[in-house]
Amino acid sequence: MGDLLTPLHTKAISKSDQAENQLRPISRTQAKHEKQSLSLDSPEDVFEALRLRPDPPTLSRALRWLESAAAQDDGFNIKKPGPKAAQIIFVLVNEIVPDYWYVPSERGESGRAKEKPPLKQCLSSVAGVGAIASRLKLLVGSLKESRNRAAVSSVNRTQPVETILDVTENVLAKDDFITTVWSDVCSFNLQSTQRFLQWRELVSLLASGKLLSIASEASHTLNDLSASVKAGSWVGDGSQYAAWLGRNFQHMVRILEGNDMEGRKAVSQMFSKALTLGYTDQLVRSAFSDLINGENQLVKKSQKLLGILSAHERQMILFTVIRITAEQHLASTGSPGDKPNASPGQYSVGGVAALIATLVKENPSLQESLVGWLTAVSADAISQSHNTHRAVIAALSVNKERTTEAFQKSLDLFGDKLYIKHTPTLHQEVNTQVLLILAGYIYRDSQAQLAEISRSSVYLNAISNRLATSSLRARFLGMVVGTAISELVDAKDRRMMFSAEDMNSTDGQWYRRLTDVNDAVGVIGDLKPAKAASTNSSSRLSRRPVNSNAKSTKPPVKAQLTSKIISIEEIDDDDDDESESEAEDLPLYEKPDSDPEDEDEDATLVRRNRPTAPVYIRDLISGLRDAEDFDRHKLALAAAASLIRRKAAFGTEVSENIEQLATVLVGLGDKWEMTDFQKMRLQGMIAVLTAEPLKMGQWFSKTFYSGDYSMGQRASILTTLGLGARELAGLGKDDAALTGANATSDDQFPSKTLPAKLHQIYALEAAPMDALSSQLERTMIQPMAAEAADKLSGPNALKIRTFSSRMAFEKRRPKPIPNALAKIVAEGFFFPLTGRWLPQHRLIDLVASGENSSHTSPFLLTHLLKTLSLILHASGSSTLSLPQMTAEFWDLLLSLRPRATDPSVLEALLFAFLTLLDINENDQRRLAEEHAKELLETQQWVEAVFERIGGGSEEGERVRMLAAGVLVRTRQVVEKYQRMLMGDLVDFM
């Protein structure tokens, strides 16, 4: 019988398998009692308990033991660097946090809340932050690799990353985190080398951007993965992170003792590294918020901190403080319409001067930097208001030697011939204002000293060079300075006087009164805290809410409907015939159109409180800011342009709120993806510009360079300036069709087209300007093409000319259009744009990355050149400031030749050259006399471009056509005034 059973295979059983077979499962209750019976008397026991995936009671016991042991002097401290502490932190971050951070405990949510503080306390160390950063980096890499796996839901994939981000926010939430870590490092009785290594590791994690870059990458990965994922951690946002660092620095400086040199060095080391993050304004605003808001408790400690930093870092902090205080406390621009010697309390000039004087006190390098800020061509000084210059001069006036030094440097710059000829007018105006204010301070301190300076060769040559220049504005500034200083030092019968009309104008009188400005240095307490400042750190460090797909987050107001039965009447069938006869006598009405608001079957969901169009500017601003109510927001945006134009004709409602209104419109985002959003927003911005052209032209120009806006919003600012200028010139009817969002250029290159989503953001902003530039190109090139064809058709004697009557000729002649732009184009539009480019360009060369680099992008640079060209063309050839605008624009165009490597920039640059030569066609002799070198240099460069660019493609033919137009214009001037140019030609060769 045994032979019938044949084995299929045989297997040898090892000893380990035999031992495994002897294992028997135990009950869950028994396992629970065994875990609770584990003794936690040493770090090794805690490590083993945490490594074995403990239950909530065991975890609570382990965390309490770590907390109690750290409180003892000779006990184990998990924050102290060591191998066992590193092992426990690794287990906490990699095992405990993923399992317990989001899992509710058996005791409910309150029980989990009790376990979080000791866990955060264990991770509040250098090793804890390092472990969190390493874990987050690993999870982000894994999330990127698993992005294409559709089997796992997005929530399951992103849950570990969101957990670590939430842990990071909770660990770093307080403003005393860095202070606590430094106190712990000092309390461990480590050697100086060990303390230095620990602090350097923390500086590398927090201040050098390591944690910021990892958290930012995590936030972007979560956003790209799914729109429903909660993302936007403040740890990954550079502005909020820099503000958090600044608050931590301020807290640490506040608690440091006066003789704690090691602590100040630690703060300066981290602060120096944090300045390289690229968020200097946010960092300094938070670190010096007490001083900026008028509190002087940290004056001495801040001075000691600045003394430890390097000269470049001190200068960066000083300039940033000046810029921030000017934004918060010196809102007035100090225009010629204001009184030049207004009281310090009105503009808080005295308080700002006190703050600046406190920072530069007993610091010669900062005082020298302040003199350079006033006299040198810097982006900070040019972009600031007149009252800011007053505050800086008042702070500098405490030191008489520095005041005289600043006056001498300003005077040397004022009379330099190259400076007069090639520096933008905006720079020269600022330098003139500084020079006159400084002259007033020197006169009040020592009349003899100012009289001696006024008779020096430097001063006399400066006035002579100004009066000899061909620029009207430069001559005006020379006359103003000569007259104002002569009124101070000379007798009445010997004063310098000019009979020019500009000297008696409002502008001239304002400049001459600048010598009377005498701002006293107040106290830091004169500065009032900003209204928008918030002291709740937990509200500042909050996550960004998830965008909803619904059009409105506010629920509709449900109507409280009630019904009441009046009576019930029964109708007999006998009365049907009578009712039908009565119905025939009633008139028939058509069925009304259906209302989409009343289509819902549930009557309680019908919205009855529909928004109405705003009738006041304050209601308009409120509606534009309401991003939750779609109907109100759209209605306000649609009525913005007409309401602004209607209100601008009378009253002061628009003028009082115009800057606030412009800020709202420029920063408006298309949250609802409305069809005509760009059209309505652009029309509103143009209405704001035309309401007060001079003031808002300068405001838009300044906002383009200094505002914190995206590239698309900056492009819309340029479009507003270009179209607004043409409307003021009387060309608004021709451009009305181009202000819509659906306006596109006919000359687009398909290979350069952006994706559909990005095309809506960027391309539509520049579409009106592209269309206008293309139209203007045809207008300028067609006459040259017709003239060339006429020359090739034969001699003029064989041609037949048709003579028309005088009446027919007058009928075809276009009627003259009043050009309101010509009076304000230079001061309100052109010079603010060109004047701020030079310092911004220098700043971009020093800082290769960051927000400033967007101005040199091909997209914005092309748009800027086209805007300037359209403004110059709209001003007309009879504008009084045309020679000065021509000189400044020509210098700007020649300086941009190295950036013409991009085809779009090259095309815009050639278009600008063509516009410049076309608008000066009636005054070619002046071009030959004053701009001979620029003319020959332009001709030589355009010839090289024409030879280098080949034809065959649409893009190449377009560039060659523009280059040919520029060459025709330049050769016309060269051939006509060849003898006059011969001397300059020899020097140029």
Side-chain angles (χ1 to χ4, degrees):
M1 194 68 182
D3 297 337
L4 298 176
L5 299 176
T6 303
L8 296 177
H9 66 278
T10 58
K11 179 181 180 183
I13 300 176
S14 62
K15 294 182 179 181
S16 61
D17 294 335
Q18 293 178 359
E20 186 178 354
N21 293 333
Q22 295 176 0
L23 297 177
R24 295 291 184 268
I26 62 176
S27 62
R28 183 173 301 177
T29 305
Q30 183 179 356
K32 183 176 181 180
H33 286 298
E34 288 184 1
K35 287 186 177 181
Q36 290 181 351
S37 63
L38 292 175
S39 60
L40 300 178
D41 299 330
S42 64
E44 290 78 8
D45 296 339
V46 173
F47 174 70
E48 289 297 329
L50 295 176
R51 189 174 60 87
L52 296 177
R53 306 261 182 179
D55 54 4
T58 305
L59 175 62
S60 300
R61 291 174 54 213
L63 295 178
R64 286 198 302 270
W65 186 91
L66 291 174
E67 188 176 4
S68 61
Q72 301 176 5
D73 296 336
D74 56 349
F76 173 78
N77 195 335
I78 192 175
K79 297 181 180 180
K80 186 176 182 179
K84 189 56 65 177
Q87 291 178 350
I88 296 176
I89 291 175
F90 180 82
V91 174
L92 288 176
V93 174
N94 292 271
E95 303 293 341
I96 302 302
V97 166
D99 294 339
Y100 283 94
W101 191 261
Y102 275 130
V103 178
S105 63
E106 297 177 359
R107 293 168 291 174
E109 188 66 25
S110 61
R112 188 188 72 171
K114 294 180 180 179
E115 297 170 0
K116 274 189 175 183
L119 183 57
K120 292 188 295 183
Q121 190 69 19
C122 293
L123 298 178
S124 299
S125 62
V126 180
V129 177
I132 291 174
S134 301
R135 179 64 177 172
L136 183 59
K137 184 176 182 180
L138 180 63
L139 291 176
V140 172
S142 302
L143 183 61
K144 287 184 176 181
E145 293 177 359
S146 62
R147 185 180 299 179
N148 298 326
R149 300 176 187 174
V152 184
S153 63
S154 60
V155 177
N156 293 334
R157 282 185 292 163
T158 60
Q159 184 68 33
V161 178
E162 290 188 278
T163 301
I164 295 297
L165 279 177
D166 191 68
V167 171
T168 309
E169 291 181 353
N170 282 270
V171 171
L172 304 179
K174 294 185 178 180
D175 294 343
D176 61 347
F177 175 79
I178 297 178
T179 306
T180 304
V181 174
W182 172 249
S183 301
D184 293 338
V185 171
C186 294
S187 64
F188 291 151
N189 296 324
L190 301 175
Q191 297 180 358
S192 59
T193 304
Q194 292 177 325
R195 286 200 301 270
F196 173 75
L197 293 176
Q198 283 286 301
W199 188 252
R200 189 175 66 175
E201 179 65 21
L202 185 65
V203 170
S204 176
L205 287 170
L206 298 181
S208 65
K210 183 177 180 181
L211 181 62
L212 173 62
S213 61
I214 297 174
S216 179
E217 185 180 5
S219 299
H220 284 292
T221 305
L222 292 177
N223 286 329
D224 296 339
L225 194 65
S226 175
S228 61
V229 175
K230 184 180 179 181
S233 170
W234 67 265
V235 185
D237 184 84
S239 299
Q240 297 187 48
Y241 184 81
W244 172 80
L245 278 177
R247 291 192 297 272
N248 274 265
F249 293 147
Q250 186 183 56
H251 184 274
M252 190 170 180
V253 171
R254 183 183 292 113
I255 69 166
L256 285 177
E257 299 294 336
N259 56 356
D260 190 359
M261 189 63 185
E262 187 177 4
R264 289 201 299 270
K265 287 183 178 180
V267 176
S268 63
Q269 182 183 0
M270 183 169 285
F271 197 85
S272 300
K273 184 63 70 173
L275 288 173
T276 62
L277 288 176
Y279 300 93
T280 308
D281 286 6
Q282 293 83 354
L283 180 67
V284 175
R285 189 189 301 271
S286 298
F288 295 88
S289 61
D290 287 349
L291 293 177
I292 295 174
N293 293 325
E295 300 179 8
N296 55 2
Q297 290 83 0
L298 300 179
V299 170
K300 294 184 178 179
K301 293 183 177 181
S302 299
Q303 289 175 344
K304 293 180 180 179
L305 175 62
L306 290 176
I308 302 176
L309 298 174
S310 64
H312 174 69
E313 293 165 351
R314 290 196 298 265
Q315 177 179 319
M316 185 185 303
I317 293 174
L318 175 63
F319 292 171
T320 306
V321 169
I322 294 174
R323 183 165 58 251
I324 293 173
T325 52
E327 292 175 358
Q328 291 189 5
H329 306 290
L330 302 176
S332 176
T333 59
S335 60
D338 301 334
K339 295 181 180 180
N341 195 18
S343 60
Q346 183 178 357
Y347 301 120
S348 299
V349 175
V352 176
L355 176 58
I356 298 173
T358 302
L359 293 179
V360 303
K361 185 179 180 181
E362 299 178 358
N363 199 323
S365 63
L366 282 183
Q367 295 175 4
E368 187 177 353
S369 299
L370 203 61
V371 172
W373 187 91
L374 277 174
T375 58
V377 182
S378 62
D380 289 330
I382 297 302
S383 60
Q384 296 305 321
S385 64
H386 168 68
N387 295 319
T388 307
H389 301 146
R390 288 173 49 187
V392 174
I393 294 174
L396 197 64
S397 64
V398 179
N399 192 327
K400 307 303 180 183
E401 296 180 359
R402 294 294 182 182
T403 305
T404 306
E405 179 186 355
F407 181 80
Q408 291 288 354
K409 290 185 176 181
S410 181
L411 182 60
D412 294 340
L413 202 63
F414 180 79
D416 187 79
K417 291 183 179 181
L418 294 177
Y419 177 83
I420 296 173
K421 184 175 182 180
H422 298 288
T423 304
T425 305
L426 182 63
H427 298 196
Q428 300 186 36
E429 291 177 349
V430 171
N431 184 45
T432 304
Q433 296 169 16
V434 171
L435 182 66
L436 291 175
I437 297 176
L438 288 172
Y441 278 94
I442 294 177
Y443 173 76
R444 286 183 291 271
D445 183 60
S446 176
Q447 299 182 10
Q449 184 180 6
L450 184 62
E452 182 180 357
I453 294 175
S454 65
R455 293 175 177 84
S456 63
S457 60
V458 177
Y459 174 79
L460 296 177
N461 290 333
I463 300 299
S464 300
N465 294 338
R466 285 280 172 176
L467 297 179
T469 185
S470 59
S471 174
L472 297 178
R473 190 64 177 177
R475 287 203 302 268
F476 166 74
L477 296 178
M479 290 187 292
V480 163
V481 172
T483 303
I485 295 182
S486 179
E487 290 175 351
L488 294 177
V489 299
D490 295 334
K492 291 185 178 181
D493 56 343
R494 300 182 60 184
R495 289 179 181 176
M496 185 182 298
M497 298 180 63
F498 297 93
S499 59
E501 297 180 358
D502 295 340
M503 297 299 296
N504 297 323
S505 63
T506 304
D507 197 14
Q509 294 293 335
W510 183 81
Y511 271 96
R512 292 167 62 181
R513 290 197 303 266
L514 288 178
T515 55
D516 299 331
V517 173
N518 187 14
D519 297 312
V521 179
V523 293
I524 299 180
D526 294 337
L527 303 177
K528 303 299 181 182
K531 295 182 180 179
S534 177
T535 59
N536 189 3
S537 61
S538 61
S539 63
R540 290 190 296 260
L541 306 181
S542 59
R543 280 175 172 257
R544 176 170 46 85
V546 183
N547 292 333
S548 174
N549 295 328
K551 286 189 175 182
S552 178
T553 57
K554 289 185 178 181
V557 180
K558 296 183 179 180
Q560 301 294 334
L561 300 180
T562 58
S563 61
K564 181 178 180 181
I565 300 176
I566 304 300
S567 63
I568 300 177
E569 180 180 358
E570 183 177 355
I571 301 176
D572 297 334
D573 295 338
D574 300 337
D575 299 335
D576 291 345
D577 298 337
E578 184 179 355
S579 61
E580 291 178 359
S581 60
E582 293 178 356
E584 293 177 357
D585 298 335
L586 297 176
L588 298 178
Y589 296 95
E590 296 182 358
K591 182 179 179 180
D593 296 336
S594 61
D595 191 348
E597 298 290 340
D598 298 333
E599 288 182 354
D600 204 313
E601 296 179 358
D602 190 355
T604 61
L605 298 179
V606 178
R607 186 176 181 182
R608 301 298 182 186
N609 56 341
R610 302 176 187 175
T612 58
V615 294
Y616 298 105
I617 297 298
R618 62 177 182 271
D619 297 334
L620 175 63
I621 296 175
S622 177
L624 292 175
R625 287 177 172 172
D626 191 357
E628 305 298 332
D629 193 338
F630 170 75
D631 295 331
R632 184 188 181 195
H633 184 74
K634 183 178 181 179
L635 194 60
L637 186 60
S642 59
L643 180 63
I644 295 171
R645 293 181 185 274
R646 189 168 63 250
K647 290 284 186 177
F650 62 93
T652 61
E653 191 177 1
V654 173
S655 59
E656 292 175 354
N657 303 278
I658 193 165
E659 290 190 7
Q660 184 181 6
L661 186 59
T663 303
V664 173
L665 286 171
V666 172
L668 205 61
D670 190 9
K671 176 182 177 181
W672 310 102
E673 297 182 359
M674 290 182 285
T675 305
D676 297 333
F677 172 79
Q678 299 292 351
K679 174 183 178 180
M680 294 183 291
R681 173 169 165 266
L682 183 60
Q683 289 178 348
M685 294 169 63
I686 295 175
V688 169
L689 177 63
T690 55
E692 292 192 16
L694 180 59
K695 177 181 179 180
M696 296 314 298
Q698 297 173 350
W699 186 91
F700 277 113
S701 301
K702 180 180 179 181
T703 303
F704 170 73
Y705 288 106
S706 59
D708 187 12
Y709 299 106
S710 64
M711 293 179 64
Q713 291 169 336
R714 294 182 194 276
S716 65
I717 292 175
L718 293 176
T719 303
T720 301
L721 288 170
L723 296 181
R726 288 178 60 84
E727 181 176 340
L728 292 172
L731 305 174
K733 295 182 180 180
D734 301 336
D735 305 339
L738 300 175
T739 57
N742 56 351
T744 56
S745 176
D746 297 333
D747 303 297
Q748 295 180 352
F749 305 111
S751 60
K752 301 286 185 177
T753 305
L754 294 170
K757 185 177 180 180
L758 297 177
H759 182 79
Q760 295 179 357
I761 299 176
Y762 296 105
L764 296 181
E765 298 285 358
M769 306 303 293
D770 292 338
L772 284 175
S773 60
S774 300
Q775 180 181 354
L776 192 57
E777 286 175 12
R778 293 190 293 267
T779 304
M780 292 185 295
I781 292 178
Q782 281 179 357
M784 291 186 288
E787 184 179 356
D790 184 68
K791 290 181 179 179
L792 295 176
S793 61
N796 294 332
L798 300 179
K799 298 175 184 177
I800 300 176
R801 180 181 177 185
T802 303
F803 293 92
S804 57
S805 62
R806 182 183 180 91
M807 297 296 295
F809 179 76
E810 292 293 337
K811 187 177 181 180
R812 291 195 302 267
R813 174 185 293 181
K815 296 182 179 180
I817 302 175
N819 192 344
L821 177 67
K823 299 179 181 179
I824 61 172
V825 61
E827 185 180 357
F829 290 81
F830 202 84
F831 291 153
L833 280 177
T834 58
R836 287 186 172 87
W837 168 258
L838 180 60
Q840 194 72 33
H841 175 65
R842 293 180 177 178
L843 184 62
I844 290 168
D845 291 339
L846 295 176
V847 184
S849 60
E851 61 179 358
N852 294 321
S853 60
S854 61
H855 296 92
T856 58
S857 63
F859 172 71
L860 277 185
L861 187 55
T862 300
H863 207 40
L864 175 64
L865 291 175
K866 291 183 178 180
T867 301
L868 289 171
S869 302
L870 292 176
I871 293 175
L872 181 65
H873 185 271
S875 63
S877 58
S878 301
T879 305
L880 295 178
S881 56
L882 180 61
Q884 193 170 356
M885 290 193 297
T886 300
E888 196 160 316
F889 196 27
W890 214 330
D891 289 340
L892 174 63
L893 296 180
L894 292 177
S895 67
L896 291 176
R897 287 176 296 173
R899 299 186 180 273
T901 55
D902 188 270
S904 59
V905 178
L906 177 60
E907 180 184 341
L909 195 58
L910 292 173
F911 171 70
F913 276 123
L914 183 60
T915 306
L916 180 69
L917 295 171
D918 184 78
I919 201 68
N920 289 277
E921 184 181 8
N922 297 330
D923 198 1
Q924 294 181 350
R925 182 179 181 84
R926 179 177 52 82
L927 295 182
E929 291 178 349
E930 301 178 4
H931 306 285
K933 293 184 178 181
E934 290 86 348
L935 185 66
L936 299 174
E937 194 173 349
T938 302
Q939 181 181 0
Q940 183 180 4
W941 179 76
V942 175
E943 287 177 352
V945 171
F946 188 81
E947 295 175 358
R948 186 179 72 251
I949 301 298
S953 62
E954 182 181 357
E955 182 179 351
E957 292 296 335
R958 184 181 180 87
V959 172
R960 287 174 63 86
M961 178 186 67
L962 290 172
V966 176
L967 287 176
V968 170
R969 291 298 187 191
T970 55
R971 287 173 180 174
Q972 286 178 354
V973 181
V974 172
E975 292 176 359
K976 188 174 183 180
Y977 302 98
Q978 189 171 4
R979 292 186 178 180
M980 185 184 300
L981 294 171
M982 187 59 65
D984 293 322
L985 181 60
V986 173
D987 296 338
F988 180 73
M989 296 299 291

